[in-house]
Amino acid sequence: PFGIAVCGDTMVLGWRGTGTVSDAINDAAATPQSSFAWRKHAKTIKAQGAMTSIVINDVVTHEEFIIKEIQKRGIKEIITTGQSLGGGCSQLGHMVLRAQIQDETSPWNVLDGKVNVRSVAFCGPMTTVLLNNASDETDEFLQQIDDNSVNFIFNNDPVPRGYGYLTFIEDLIENAAPSLLKESVPWFIRRTLNLRDKMEDLYEKKDSKAVQDMVKVFSKYQHMGKLIYYAEEDAKPQVVRDMGAFYANPAGDQDILRDIKYQPIKTFSFDEALRWHMHIITGPGLAYPEEHLH
């Protein structure tokens, strides 16, 4: 689902997170692709295929209405937002809209110089693969995205570490496997993921060519923009950046996402993993109280 809200001169475009089996399939469909939506930059920028399709479908379906409302209401800023799958969509929504606004052939171009676009994502996964062949125009475009994007990460949440922070995911699996193979996981999760077989299969085939090819693709994914990391709910937020899987950090900077390692816990549980992923939006803090929502 996709929603639109207006507050003053700001329009918010929101995408829902994973809630169905088909959503989970979209999460897993991680093949990076280029798109006509960012035609000028397509040789350099690739994005998660399924989320790109979701975003382009929603944007093209509602673009006439959105553009009309922006002009009628005097909107000066569009904020794309969402959590989990929706967080990934919000990041790609930002890129699609910014590229369309700057495209002289697009109906969105009437907003160029009048409307800024920003993304505020929660627990969103990495969505972008960048090839090392950017033109000056693409470099400027990427910098604009970088300057106007933020994604919130809580504790050991694995979703924002996917797809590219593979050592983090591997450490989590090693910590989780003994407990989860014994734990009573909710039936819909067990049926969807076939947890035991998939975990055992991963260990048995982790050196196979198919798995290695998948790892090569996943390792190229990275985040754009600033990442706001909370180690715990009462911790001071830390602003970090994702420099990609192969960044050596020669200056020893302390604000690099992939220097924040997975923190093993004594007894891993599905409930604890769910807390890592959902706590930042269920409050207290960033979320409205339940009684105000129903």
Side-chain angles (χ1 to χ4, degrees), residues 4 41 64 79 99 157 176 201 222 241 251 253 270 279 293:
I4 306 169
H41 318 290
E64 184 177 352
I79 296 178
D157 185 6
D201 192 55
Q222 66 182 91
R241 306 190 73 84
D253 294 336
F270 177 80
H279 189 70
L293 297 174

Side-chain angles (χ1 to χ4, degrees), residues 188-200:
F188 57 92
I189 297 292
R190 186 172 62 250
R191 179 172 293 179
T192 301
L193 300 180
N194 196 4
L195 190 60
R196 178 184 295 274
D197 290 345
K198 286 187 178 293
M199 281 195 167
E200 291 177 348

Side-chain angles (χ1 to χ4, degrees), residues 40-42 44-45 133-143:
K40 293 181 180 179
H41 318 290
T44 299
I45 304 173
N133 62 358
S135 64
D136 290 343
E137 185 179 21
T138 296
D139 276 336
E140 182 179 356
F141 177 74
L142 290 170
Q143 187 62 55

Side-chain angles (χ1 to χ4, degrees), residues 175-240:
N175 185 207
S179 299
L180 286 186
L181 293 179
K182 300 175 183 177
E183 186 176 352
S184 178
V185 178
W187 69 267
F188 57 92
I189 297 292
R190 186 172 62 250
R191 179 172 293 179
T192 301
L193 300 180
N194 196 4
L195 190 60
R196 178 184 295 274
D197 290 345
K198 286 187 178 293
M199 281 195 167
E200 291 177 348
D201 192 55
L202 177 64
Y203 280 108
E204 290 174 2
K205 298 182 179 179
K206 64 181 180 180
D207 295 324
S208 72
K209 185 178 184 302
V211 172
Q212 291 302 312
D213 287 345
M214 180 182 69
V215 167
K216 288 179 182 178
V217 173
F218 281 11
S219 66
K220 295 178 181 178
Y221 274 96
Q222 66 182 91
H223 285 290
M224 301 293 293
K226 296 180 178 65
L227 304 164
I228 311 298
Y229 168 70
Y230 286 85
E232 264 300 345
E233 64 181 43
D234 57 352
K236 182 179 178 179
Q238 182 181 353
V239 181
V240 298

Side-chain angles (χ1 to χ4, degrees), residues 241 243-260:
R241 306 190 73 84
M243 305 301 291
F246 307 108
Y247 181 66
N249 195 10
D253 294 336
Q254 300 299 306
D255 59 348
I256 306 300
L257 171 68
R258 303 191 196 212
D259 288 340
I260 301 174

Side-chain angles (χ1 to χ4, degrees), residues 282-294:
T282 53
L286 297 172
Y288 287 103
E290 280 291 317
E291 59 269 20
H292 292 179
L293 297 174
H294 302 288

Side-chain angles (χ1 to χ4, degrees), residues 112-132:
D112 194 20
K114 302 174 184 177
V115 178
N116 186 39
V117 185
R118 291 195 293 143
S119 55
V120 181
F122 299 93
C123 323
M126 301 171 190
T127 57
T128 311
V129 173
L130 301 178
L131 305 183
N132 189 25

